[in-house]
Amino acid sequence: MRLRVEFTTEPFDLEEAPEHALAARRVIEAADLDEVDVGPFGNTAEGGADEVLTAVDALLRSSLGSGATRISLQVNVVGDPQGKGDDA
C-alpha cells in the first residue's frame, strides 16, 4: 500500500522557519520516501505504508520536541487501496 502524508506545523513565523518546522523538514527529507515536497505553508511526501508511518511517528516526536504547539496532518491511501500489484 502507498500512502501520501500532508502536514503543517505551528506556530507559523513568516520571517523565518521556526525550529519545529526545520525539524519536521529534516525528518521527512531523511526518510525513505518518494515525491517529497516541502514548502512554507504545507509539506507532502509519498511512499510505502511502513516508511510513511515510521516518518510520521518521527515527525510528530521531533516537531513537538522542538516547540510545535500544533501539527495538522492528513494521510491518504494512493493508488490501489487493495494493494494489488504493490510491493508494500
Side-chain angles (χ1 to χ4, degrees), residues 3-8 43-45 52-53 56 59-60 71-78:
L3 300 177
R4 177 181 301 125
V5 61
E6 302 174 44
F7 66 92
T8 58
N43 309 280
T44 61
V52 170
L53 295 173
V56 166
L59 164 76
L60 292 171
I71 302 168
S72 301
L73 68 92
Q74 179 173 301
V75 178
N76 294 301
V77 175
V78 294

Side-chain angles (χ1 to χ4, degrees), residues 27-38:
V27 166
I28 216 70
E29 288 178 339
D32 187 21
L33 301 173
D34 309 323
E35 302 180 39
V36 172
D37 182 24
V38 294

Side-chain angles (χ1 to χ4, degrees), residues 11 20 24 46 51 54 69 71 75 83:
H20 59 81
E46 189 174 310
E51 291 80 11
T54 297
T69 57
I71 302 168
V75 178

